[in-house]
Amino acid sequence: MPADERRRAPSVTEDQHEDEVLRLLRRAELEPLGRIASASNLTVLCRLAGDAARRLAIYKPERGEAPLWDFPPRTLHRREVAAYLVDRLLGWRMVPPTVLRESGPLGRGSVQLFVDHDLERHYFALVAELDDAITVQLRRMVAFDLVVNNADRKGSHVLLDAGGRVQLVDHGVCFHTDPKLRTVAWDFADEPVPAEVRADVAYVAEVLQRRDGDADVLSGLLTADEYAATCRRAQRVAQLERFPPPRGVRPYPWPPL
């Protein structure tokens, strides 16, 4: 099945649900419940006011971002949204719905649907389970991180939701123009890249070149150089026969979990 047809495979109900969640994230009043103490940048757990399902969200305000020497200041929240858009283009539904909001309790920031999860079932636990369905998703994660140039794929950034789907969070340090890949997922190094993964990434590479739909929105969240670098990475990943081995002086994030 061609990649674009696979991308249409999710049911109308799934698409409608995602659109509903995105509208809610954009419009609902955010009621802060508390700060995520372990986060290096200000990260606030919020209740989405008026939501009958009583869903929660993670709010990352621009003003709470710690400055980094290698990333432009006050851009991390935009990269969170950009990562969601790349996943949406891929059709993998691994990054929870994420939006950019101009207003919130602390001003502009990203708002992402909170994923209810078991803290003990992080990447290291999941990769050890040797579950075929999870392994398929983890291979997609590796390809995704190559495309977005993820500089901080910690084990705790990989969650498993109640439906058994791998969900990926914390993408504030992605999309740099220089090679920055730091990940715990080197277990897949030198494995063949599945043909369907290459096909999906090839499709996205074409869409990025055309700047269609979500790709046009993505281009507005990144600098011109960052967007061009993302296009080039997608083209390279689409042609990879095997996942790459660790490279550079710091291929692993710290701490790993």
Side-chain angles (χ1 to χ4, degrees):
M1 182 184 297
D4 54 343
E5 291 184 17
R6 279 201 305 277
R7 196 161 284 93
R8 299 189 190 102
S11 67
V12 173
T13 302
E14 282 183 303
D15 288 337
Q16 289 176 338
H17 173 72
E18 184 170 1
D19 289 343
E20 173 199 338
V21 170
L22 291 170
R23 285 194 296 270
L24 184 68
L25 293 172
R26 291 187 182 106
R27 300 174 185 174
E29 180 182 353
L30 301 176
E31 298 179 351
L33 300 177
R35 179 175 180 175
I36 307 298
S38 59
S40 54
N41 297 287
L42 180 58
T43 303
V44 184
L45 179 66
C46 296
R47 178 180 291 113
L48 295 167
D51 176 32
R54 301 181 62 81
R55 283 168 287 202
L56 304 175
I58 295 295
Y59 169 48
K60 296 186 176 182
E62 176 186 305
R63 69 173 65 177
E65 295 175 4
L68 299 171
W69 70 269
D70 52 348
F71 280 82
R74 303 171 82 93
T75 64
L76 306 191
H77 63 293
R78 300 170 70 86
R79 298 170 195 278
E80 296 278 1
V81 183
Y84 165 68
L85 291 176
V86 171
D87 174 67
R88 184 174 165 102
L89 287 169
L90 286 163
W92 292 346
R93 282 179 157 84
M94 299 185 76
V95 178
T98 312
V99 302
L100 181 66
R101 283 187 55 155
E102 293 297 324
S103 62
L106 294 169
R108 181 189 297 113
S110 63
V111 182
Q112 182 176 86
L113 184 69
F114 175 77
V115 177
D116 192 14
H117 61 283
D118 180 348
L119 291 174
E120 298 301 317
R121 299 194 76 189
H122 46 67
Y123 171 79
F124 297 107
L126 296 177
V127 76
E129 290 178 8
L130 300 178
D131 179 282
D132 289 344
I134 290 176
T135 300
V136 167
Q137 296 176 78
L138 292 178
R139 289 192 181 103
R140 288 177 174 175
M141 177 195 77
V142 175
F144 173 80
D145 283 345
L146 288 169
V147 172
V148 303
N149 196 17
N150 193 346
D152 193 35
R153 175 62 72 205
K154 293 183 172 69
S156 60
H157 298 171
V158 184
L159 317 176
L160 194 70
D161 70 14
R165 294 192 310 176
V166 172
Q167 297 286 278
L168 310 175
V169 299
D170 287 338
H171 298 105
V173 287
C174 293
F175 299 102
H176 202 285
T177 54
D178 298 334
K180 291 279 185 180
L181 183 65
R182 298 188 191 99
T183 177
V184 295
W186 294 115
D187 304 83
F188 297 93
D190 294 322
E191 278 195 10
V193 180
E196 60 272 18
V197 169
R198 294 200 309 271
D200 286 344
V201 177
Y203 169 83
V204 169
E206 294 174 5
V207 173
L208 292 177
Q209 286 291 334
R210 299 194 304 264
R211 298 200 180 200
D212 289 346
D214 284 337
D216 187 50
V217 180
L218 176 67
S219 70
L221 294 168
L222 305 174
T223 67
D225 287 344
E226 288 169 345
Y227 187 85
T230 303
C231 293
R232 291 193 296 271
R233 288 193 300 269
Q235 291 166 349
R236 287 197 298 268
V237 174
Q239 297 172 6
L240 280 180
E241 294 186 1
R242 293 183 177 274
F243 289 118
R247 294 192 179 98
V249 295
R250 291 185 58 203
Y252 292 89
W254 188 261
L257 188 60

